[in-house]
Amino acid sequence: MQTYEGTIERILFDRTEIAEAIERLGRQIARDYAGQPLLLLGVLKGALYVAADLARAIARSPGGPSHLEMDFLVVSSYGNSTRSSGEVRMLKDTSENIGGKNVLIVEDIVDNGLTLSYLQALLSGRNPADLRSCVLFDKPYRRRVDVPIEYVGLVAPDEFVVGYGLDYQEKYRNLPYLAQLRSWVFSE
Ligand code: 5GP
């Protein structure tokens, strides 16, 4: 992206690496849910691209669910800062009842684990038939809770990252790659 160029410190995963990771996740998920219905539950806004790309990767893979539904919820945990507050706010809940369904939570990134852990506890209380989690980028260094993740795409460094759905102050989500920003951006 032209306007973002001077603010990028380095590209951590380019679009090909991200596409390959999603393709691999799609094959695993298609195999594991073969012949069963599946509800992909994307966590917005960050999982916007991964949920859409993963749904298509699952559809391209051999085997696969008998049918696939998609739903979304919206949470906020960072506000405008670069460290999670630990306080997760649900801004929009799912539109459908998840009771009795095979639910796969699709998250963009996990850092301290509080967001995903909050969602797992909330959703498991609604009696899904099965509840698993898929995360495209894992930052496993600062966990505050031990959170089970069945499907992990890529392990990212212990940095604040942007792109492929992830923002800094609502910008950079549309970068096709995952990047680290120059440090001066945060002091602007
Ligand atoms: P956690 O609660 O695991 O610390 O963080 C989960 C949420 O925080 C993610 O869904 C994402 O919205 C945000 N987050 C965590 N790490 C990063 C990061 O490096 N960059 C951005 N933009 N958001 C992050």
Side-chain angles (χ1 to χ4, degrees), residues 77-78 84 107-116 139 159-162 166-168:
S77 54
Y78 268 33
S84 177
E107 256 282 37
D108 47 2
I109 192 163
V110 173
D111 184 11
N112 63 33
L114 291 172
T115 307
L116 187 57
K139 294 198 293 187
E159 303 288 348
F160 182 80
V161 295
V162 296
L166 290 160
D167 72 311
Y168 175 58

Side-chain angles (χ1 to χ4, degrees), residues 7 14 19 25 47 50 57 62 76 84 92 95 101 123 133 157 159:
T7 61
D14 64 23
L25 289 171
V50 56
S76 157
S84 177
K92 186 208 158 282
S95 354
K101 295 187 176 172
L123 297 171
S133 302
E159 303 288 348

Side-chain angles (χ1 to χ4, degrees), residues 2-186:
Q2 200 95 52
T3 49
Y4 291 157
E5 247 166 32
T7 61
I8 303 294
E9 175 72 29
R10 62 182 174 130
I11 293 178
L12 301 164
F13 296 112
D14 64 23
R15 61 201 308 168
T16 309
E17 291 169 302
I18 293 174
E20 283 170 0
I22 292 180
E23 216 53 45
R24 179 172 50 75
L25 289 171
R27 282 196 301 272
Q28 282 174 16
I29 292 164
R31 187 193 59 212
D32 292 356
Y33 292 91
Q36 302 173 52
L38 175 62
L39 170 64
L40 278 192
L41 186 53
V43 184
L44 295 180
K45 300 178 192 169
L48 164 74
Y49 297 113
V50 56
D53 287 347
L54 184 62
R56 289 179 289 201
I58 294 169
R60 277 193 295 272
S61 299
S66 52
H67 57 266
L68 187 141
E69 289 177 50
M70 294 182 81
D71 201 353
F72 296 92
L73 43 77
V74 187
V75 296
S76 157
S77 54
Y78 268 33
N80 273 341
S81 95
T82 59
R83 279 275 159 237
S84 177
S85 59
E87 193 186 304
V88 185
R89 280 191 306 140
M90 169 83 78
L91 304 179
K92 186 208 158 282
D93 207 334
T94 59
S95 354
E96 303 293 329
N97 192 334
I98 65 161
K101 295 187 176 172
N102 295 325
V103 179
L104 180 61
I105 303 172
V106 181
E107 256 282 37
D108 47 2
I109 192 163
V110 173
D111 184 11
N112 63 33
L114 291 172
T115 307
L116 187 57
S117 172
Y118 163 87
L119 289 174
Q120 288 177 349
L122 180 84
L123 297 171
S124 65
R126 297 179 181 175
N127 301 317
D130 181 69
L131 182 66
R132 296 186 206 173
S133 302
C134 173
V135 166
L136 181 57
F137 302 112
D138 188 13
K139 294 198 293 187
Y141 322 96
R142 294 176 194 268
R143 286 289 199 280
R144 287 165 61 184
V145 282
D146 197 14
V147 62
I149 306 174
E150 286 78 5
Y151 305 96
V152 174
L154 296 160
V155 177
D158 188 14
E159 303 288 348
F160 182 80
V161 295
V162 296
Y164 199 75
L166 290 160
D167 72 311
Y168 175 58
Q169 297 186 337
E170 291 303 323
K171 300 187 206 66
Y172 300 99
R173 290 193 199 276
N174 59 330
L175 291 180
Y177 46 78
L178 189 79
Q180 184 185 343
L181 293 176
R182 297 223 157 111
S183 53
W184 58 259
V185 175
F186 303 113

